[in-house]
Amino acid sequence: MKYTLSLIVNDQAGVLTRIAGLFNRRGFNIDSITVGKTEEPGLSRMTIVVHGDKRLVEQIKKQLHKQIDVHKVIDITNEPMVARELIMIKVKATPQTLPEITNLIEPFRSTVVDVAHSTITIQATGDEDKLNAIIELLRPYGIKDLVRTGFAAIQRG
């Protein structure tokens, strides 16, 4: 099962390294991790997605609580939340396929962010299912490059 952890941490050099090192030392694989400043100066929010079972996630949470730079750890997996990821996909495109590709991505509210001689770069945001659907629709055109930010999540309400 996939778990989403939301952490409030000090916004200082080395915090990300210490958190990632904790996961590494314990053999926990991080599916995705995003970090950004919060509305409060000096603090950052980390969204960490991991695969595992409930026992593994409880172990991770206990280890995170021991970190001096970690102020708060919340497992928001089963909480009402909004989670989004950004992807950018560079796809092979010709003058003949360019209109077809732009029509294909339109229902996903994706945007074209760059057009070059033989490629088009598309930006999309959304949940995992939506982004995977876009990737699969674009795959037949020839994906040259793909970058994913990882999920950012926040509790509702």
Side-chain angles (χ1 to χ4, degrees):
M1 181 173 167
K2 191 179 282 190
Y3 290 88
T4 305
L5 301 175
S6 180
L7 285 63
I8 301 296
V9 300
N10 288 332
D11 181 21
Q12 296 175 340
V15 173
L16 178 60
T17 302
R18 286 189 285 280
I19 300 293
L22 180 152
F23 278 77
N24 181 46
R25 285 190 303 280
R26 300 289 177 172
F28 303 144
N29 188 34
I30 297 172
D31 197 52
S32 77
I33 186 168
T34 57
V35 184
K37 294 181 185 291
T38 66
E39 71 286 357
E40 193 170 327
L43 296 178
S44 292
R45 178 181 303 274
M46 283 187 185
T47 304
I48 302 174
V49 178
V50 295
H51 274 96
D53 57 27
K54 185 135 184 89
R55 190 180 66 76
L56 173 77
V57 172
E58 287 303 318
Q59 197 176 7
I60 291 171
K61 286 169 47 182
K62 285 179 185 173
Q63 294 299 320
L64 288 169
H65 280 294
K66 292 179 183 176
Q67 299 293 310
I68 194 161
D69 292 310
V70 176
H71 295 265
K72 194 173 184 182
V73 179
I74 306 171
D75 178 1
I76 60 173
T77 306
N78 295 317
E79 302 291 325
M81 69 172 160
V82 177
R84 296 288 183 269
E85 183 178 21
L86 168 79
I87 62 171
M88 289 190 283
I89 311 168
K90 187 182 295 181
V91 181
K92 291 179 188 173
T94 64
Q96 293 77 31
T97 61
L98 190 60
E100 188 178 317
I101 293 171
T102 54
N103 285 337
L104 189 71
I105 64 168
E106 193 177 301
F108 294 96
R109 297 185 195 159
S110 302
T111 55
V112 175
V113 292
D114 187 49
V115 177
H117 179 68
S118 61
T119 62
I120 180 172
T121 302
I122 298 155
Q123 168 187 296
T125 59
D127 62 26
E128 187 172 20
D129 290 341
K130 174 184 172 182
L131 299 179
N132 287 339
I134 293 170
I135 291 167
E136 289 310 311
L137 285 172
L138 293 173
R139 193 173 302 282
Y141 295 96
I143 295 174
K144 292 191 66 129
D145 208 355
L146 169 70
V147 62
R148 299 180 84 132
T149 61
F151 283 92
I154 192 166
Q155 288 177 294
R156 290 185 162 204

